Amino acid sequence: MFATVPTPIPARMKGLNRAEICDVNFQEFVRGWDGRADAAPADDEAILDGSALDARSFRELFESQLISRHLDLMARVLRVQNKVFYTIGSSGHEGNAMVARLTRHTDPAFLHYRSGGFMAERFRKLPGMDPVMDSALSFAASKDDPASGGRHKVWGSKPLWVLPQTSTIASHLPKAFGTAVAIEQARRSGHALPVPGDSIVVCSFGDASSNHATAQTAFNAAAWTAYQKLPAPVLFVCEDNGIGISVRTPDGWVARNFRHRPDLDYFYADGLDLASGYGDVQRAVEHCRRTRRPTFLHLRTTRIMGHAGTDFEIEWRSIEELCAVEAGDPLLRSAAIALESGAMSKEEILALYEATRAKCFAAAEDADRRPRLSSLEEVMAPLAPYTPDTVAAEATRADYAQRRVDVFGGDARLPERAGPKHLAIQINAALHDLFAKYPEALLFGEDVAQKGGVYTVTKGLQKAFGPRRVFNTLLDETIILGLAQGYANMGFLPLPEIQYLAYFHNACDQIRGEAASLQFFSNGQYRNPMVMRIASLGYQRGFGGHFHNDNSITALRDIPGLVVGCPSRGDDAATMLRTLVALAKVDGRVCAFLEPIALYMAKDLHEPGDGGWLTTYPAPHEAMPLGEERVYHPEATDLVVFTFGNGVPMSLRAARAIEAAHGWKVRVVDLRWLAPLNEAAIALHAGECERILVVDEGRRSAGVGEGIITAIAEAGYRGRPFRRVVGADTFTPLAGAAFLVIPSDEQIVAAADALAEESQAR
């Protein structure tokens, strides 16, 4: 292990680790250089003949490279002392500083983890900012970390428009593309942007990540957009170091794969050589900004010092290969440029090198003395903000009366005057209402525009509000949710539609790993407000099978901070939607609105023609508080049934049969909100009733019912007689067989019969 103080490391210690060797290599290279130096160039002169890079820019880029390198070296030393908690470094990628210099600090940037050079250089864009201290605070997981508040080592900065993220492989590419599309849509629609209208979006990733399905879907969507002559100014920066942890990228693969892709404009630049690479990076950036086309910048890099501090490459790479890689260290080339051009002397380079080392270590020691997160409350504070009074005020705000009248075609045609209607019609009316209220609202997805959705729930929206606010996308759920994040980044209020719940699983990480995590990992500085509408759940007749009757709610409930609502009737759908949109607008929440397909057109409850499941439309000043349940027969205490979605009308029908069979008065509780579950309400109703029945149309394992039972048990009602009616742990088959695997009215009655037998046995 090399010294923990900023002093040169003796060459005799070379054998201890590769980080040390790279450190010593640089110093020995500079000391041993014996080439001829030109006369020092003026600040505005080219650093070398034929280079687009001037001397002043070179010196600053070189300094940014050194900051990045010494942050890496510092992390390797202090990690073993538990003063630093992250060692995935940027060594070999320092050339990405050129991308930062040639873009603006108002160009939104979505970066991968080898972006130390980029960040050090972008910090120059605003006065008074310190890339070393800010980075050290992040390495140390300090509460003072301005990027994440100590929650993770992330590259990020609110004033520099670098959105903090901890992406899984390539999962940030769809939202980068979405942000670029949002910038252009805002320009066309007159929406006020938080960045200049000619901004571009920077998105960096590695050569290995470029193969990932999530990356490919972003490249495809970008080309799909450009093919239609629609602008999408995203600069995809592929930093090609030839290896992904230990898996090699075939030589020439990235160029072969991307050089000739239609509608994805390819540029190559040498990121190992500032003098030769600068002009090529400049051409790529200028092309993207001028043409507004998706641009692929293939940036040559290398990876030295391993993937991370725990990656002992000597165990799986030959010493000859390691030495060859280290000989390609871009800092050696930068030092050579400085010396060849006469821009810096040996003494000046070494002095800057050691001064940078000292600054990085001093900042790290300072950061280590700062407080870290020390309570669960501190950790979770930015995850799920909720200001109930403000949300309620926003949800019930009804100061757009004339716009409503105009949208619905006159006062007499307002939906609250239309009489009782079924769920699909009431959701449609609520969407029209919300679009009148929020000019920044957008709705998009597959088939939602002219067709009005598979179930006509969005019928008429595009005609009423135009194709810039209601539009179809390509058939790709990952891109739909990437677009939603991009629009949210640019101040829109997106309502993306996922056509079926089963299709959400294709793109789950866009919510789990990206949208829902942004407030957490940015300490509340950034957010992705959205309401994701999903046609959901089972019991659909005549159009069945697993993909159209998905009951896997668990995949949503498991996402930290996500709000999940599921109405069973039209009036609840309208008031719930108002609250969900207010949660997104006020608190930046990511929300899922599950629409039970089988109840879209349901009119009757007990008998054909009784109209028992039709509801009147609630006036715009009415909204449903987050977590509030709906209780049927609140006076009943013999049996309480907890349910949601399709289970509500089923339980109400079963309640009649149970009362007839056993004389019990049955209370039915429609939970409506599935995440977070209202555990206090569950405990209250369980405590007031003698018996408990849970009706969960999801699967037996990991379903909503498990959460309900846990809430009851933790409230101290373990001894109450209870039963659970749930779906089976299986995929849903086609046709009538589907109804063998999900709960039925008869199963609910049978469970009550079992409770009655248990009571008699006691």
Side-chain angles (χ1 to χ4, degrees):
M1 180 54 61
F2 55 90
T4 61
V5 293
T7 56
I9 301 163
R12 60 183 172 79
M13 298 176 63
K14 277 189 175 182
L16 295 182
N17 62 63
R18 307 314 297 182
E20 176 188 352
I21 289 171
C22 292
D23 187 17
V24 173
N25 280 349
F26 180 86
Q27 297 172 68
E28 291 187 346
F29 174 84
V30 174
R31 291 193 187 99
W33 188 81
D34 59 0
R36 184 182 65 83
D38 293 333
D43 282 355
D44 59 352
E45 291 181 345
I47 189 66
L48 292 176
D49 288 345
S51 175
L53 179 64
D54 63 67
R56 176 183 175 184
S57 295
F58 166 77
R59 284 192 293 268
E60 292 184 348
L61 284 168
F62 188 25
E63 181 181 4
S64 294
Q65 289 185 309
L66 293 177
I67 289 171
S68 177
R69 176 61 55 84
H70 277 298
L71 287 171
D72 286 356
L73 294 173
M74 172 274 295
R76 298 297 178 92
V77 173
L78 297 186
R79 175 65 192 96
V80 296
Q81 301 177 27
N82 280 329
K83 295 181 177 181
V84 158
F85 303 93
Y86 193 87
T87 58
I88 295 180
S90 305
S91 295
H93 285 244
E94 292 89 352
N96 56 34
M98 293 186 288
V99 180
R101 188 168 191 90
L102 288 162
T103 54
R104 305 170 184 163
H105 79 275
T106 50
D107 291 331
F110 301 85
L111 306 178
H112 75 337
Y113 41 67
R114 303 197 193 281
S115 298
F118 182 101
M119 287 301 298
E121 185 62 29
R122 183 164 273 206
F123 267 86
R124 297 183 189 280
K125 303 287 186 178
L126 290 178
M129 301 192 70
D130 184 354
V132 173
M133 193 66 228
D134 280 12
S135 299
L137 290 166
S138 190
F139 276 104
S142 168
K143 282 200 299 186
D144 295 338
D145 166 26
S148 76
R151 287 166 186 82
H152 205 281
K153 164 64 189 73
V154 292
W155 297 117
S157 170
K158 177 70 172 177
L160 295 175
W161 268 98
V162 179
L163 287 77
Q165 58 191 28
T166 58
S167 296
T168 51
I169 299 301
S171 60
H172 58 300
L173 273 69
K175 67 181 181 183
F177 162 73
T179 303
V181 171
I183 289 171
E184 289 301 310
Q185 183 148 331
R187 294 175 67 184
R188 296 193 300 273
S189 66
H191 173 80
L193 275 168
V195 296
D198 65 344
S199 296
I200 66 173
V201 176
V202 180
C203 179
S204 63
F205 50 93
D207 50 293
S209 295
S210 73
N211 299 301
H212 197 277
T214 311
Q216 292 295 324
T217 199
F219 301 141
N220 178 72
W224 184 86
T225 303
Y227 176 74
Q228 299 176 83
K229 303 296 188 289
L230 298 172
V234 56
L235 180 68
F236 292 118
V237 183
C238 180
E239 299 185 15
D240 183 1
N241 63 25
I243 198 164
I245 302 186
S246 68
V247 179
R248 302 174 196 278
T249 297
D251 290 344
W253 167 247
V254 173
R256 176 68 176 270
N257 195 14
F258 290 97
R259 180 180 286 140
H260 301 298
R261 287 201 184 193
D263 297 305
L264 186 60
D265 301 341
Y266 176 91
F267 290 79
Y268 173 82
D270 188 351
L272 302 179
D273 188 322
L274 298 181
S276 67
Y278 192 81
D280 293 321
V281 174
Q282 187 175 47
R283 280 186 281 277
V285 172
E286 290 177 350
H287 172 85
C288 185
R289 197 178 305 278
R290 183 184 70 257
T291 66
R292 318 304 288 168
R293 284 174 57 85
T295 304
F296 188 95
L297 173 58
H298 181 192
L299 188 68
R300 179 191 178 201
T301 62
T302 190
R303 192 190 76 193
I304 60 176
M305 295 164 49
H307 174 73
T310 54
D311 179 19
F312 299 106
E313 290 182 294
I314 195 65
E315 295 179 353
W316 55 274
R317 299 180 89 172
S318 70
I319 188 66
E320 292 78 14
E321 182 183 357
L322 285 174
C323 289
V325 169
E326 290 159 3
D329 185 345
L331 264 63
L332 302 182
R333 177 56 186 151
S334 293
I337 293 169
L339 294 166
E340 291 167 11
S341 67
M344 298 177 74
S345 67
K346 295 181 182 181
E347 293 74 20
E348 288 172 325
I349 293 173
L350 291 172
L352 177 60
Y353 190 76
E354 292 306 326
T356 306
R357 186 201 303 272
K359 186 174 182 180
C360 289
F361 271 89
E365 295 290 352
D366 184 356
D368 179 55
R369 293 188 288 269
R370 307 281 188 98
R372 296 188 173 96
L373 298 172
S374 58
S375 70
L376 179 61
E377 290 74 21
E378 286 181 316
V379 170
M380 295 183 64
L383 175 64
Y386 179 40
T387 52
D389 292 342
T390 309
V391 168
E394 179 63 29
T396 57
R397 177 172 63 83
D399 55 357
Y400 59 107
Q402 187 56 52
R403 289 200 298 277
R404 293 188 76 233
V405 170
D406 295 341
V407 164
F408 287 107
D411 187 75
R413 301 184 66 180
L414 291 173
E416 57 266 35
R417 304 185 192 282
K421 302 292 181 183
H422 55 71
L423 176 66
I425 288 179
Q426 304 296 42
I427 293 176
N428 179 273
L431 290 171
H432 278 80
D433 227 340
L434 289 166
F435 268 59
K437 184 175 182 178
Y438 297 104
E440 69 272 29
L442 305 174
L443 189 145
F444 47 91
E446 301 158 14
D447 303 305
V448 300
Q450 297 92 335
K451 180 177 175 61
V454 173
Y455 300 98
T456 69
V457 175
T458 59
K459 183 179 180 180
L461 272 174
Q462 188 184 67
K463 183 177 180 181
F465 298 101
R468 289 179 178 169
R469 297 186 63 190
V470 181
F471 50 92
N472 291 327
T473 66
L474 71 173
L475 198 156
D476 186 337
E477 286 74 26
T478 297
I479 286 300
I480 291 171
L481 297 179
L483 284 168
Q485 293 173 81
Y487 284 122
N489 288 332
M490 292 296 104
F492 288 97
L493 191 56
L495 281 75
E497 177 179 294
I498 301 297
Q499 199 164 79
Y500 291 99
L501 181 56
Y503 300 171
F504 168 74
H505 308 311
N506 302 330
C508 179
D509 191 50
Q510 288 301 302
I511 300 298
R512 178 187 303 279
E514 296 295 336
S517 72
L518 183 59
Q519 290 204 102
F520 182 78
F521 287 120
S522 71
N523 199 20
Q525 297 176 89
Y526 284 103
R527 55 193 218 165
N528 278 139
M530 70 177 72
V531 178
M532 174 176 56
R533 294 179 44 253
I534 312 177
S536 305
L537 308 178
Y539 300 94
Q540 185 177 192
R541 295 180 182 273
F543 191 45
H546 165 62
F547 290 109
H548 305 106
N549 286 278
D550 192 309
N551 57 358
S552 180
I553 302 163
T554 305
L556 290 159
R557 292 189 66 243
D558 182 56
I559 300 175
L562 182 68
V563 177
V564 182
C566 181
S568 63
R569 44 188 272 180
D571 53 353
D572 283 358
T575 56
M576 179 181 281
L577 261 176
R578 291 168 187 165
T579 297
L580 289 168
V581 171
L583 283 164
K585 177 76 174 177
V586 172
D587 291 328
R589 299 296 292 272
V590 181
C591 306
F593 182 67
L594 307 186
E595 303 173 5
I597 300 170
L599 297 179
Y600 271 147
M601 310 300 175
K603 300 178 177 65
D604 305 321
L605 177 57
H606 295 290
E607 305 293 340
D610 68 10
W613 213 240
L614 300 176
T615 62
T616 57
Y617 186 79
H621 64 270
E622 299 177 36
M624 182 195 304
L626 175 62
E628 183 181 80
E629 77 280 26
R630 178 181 285 279
V631 184
Y632 298 85
H633 313 301
E635 74 287 349
T637 59
D638 296 314
L639 172 68
V640 59
V641 180
F642 293 103
T643 190
F644 62 92
N646 292 288
V648 178
M650 291 166 53
S651 297
L652 290 171
R653 288 191 295 267
R656 274 196 177 183
I658 293 167
E659 183 174 355
H662 303 292
W664 294 347
K665 299 297 183 181
V666 181
R667 181 185 306 190
V668 175
V669 178
D670 180 357
L671 294 170
R672 303 193 293 194
W673 301 94
L674 306 184
L677 277 176
N678 189 340
E679 296 180 353
I682 293 169
L684 173 67
H685 296 293
E688 292 179 348
C689 297
E690 295 181 24
R691 304 166 189 85
I692 300 166
L693 186 57
V694 174
V695 177
D696 175 8
E697 62 186 286
R699 296 175 188 147
R700 173 173 294 277
S701 299
V704 177
E706 290 187 353
I708 298 170
I709 294 298
T710 299
I712 293 168
E714 290 182 344
Y717 300 117
R718 296 178 182 85
R720 293 285 167 88
F722 77 90
R723 285 289 186 276
R724 187 159 63 111
V725 180
V726 296
D729 284 338
T730 181
F731 297 103
T732 305
L734 194 62
F739 296 91
L740 301 175
V741 305
I742 49 181
S744 65
D745 297 26
E746 293 75 19
Q747 288 175 337
I748 299 171
V749 174
D753 292 343
L755 286 172
E757 292 177 6
E758 182 178 334
S759 298
Q760 291 171 0
R762 289 185 178 184

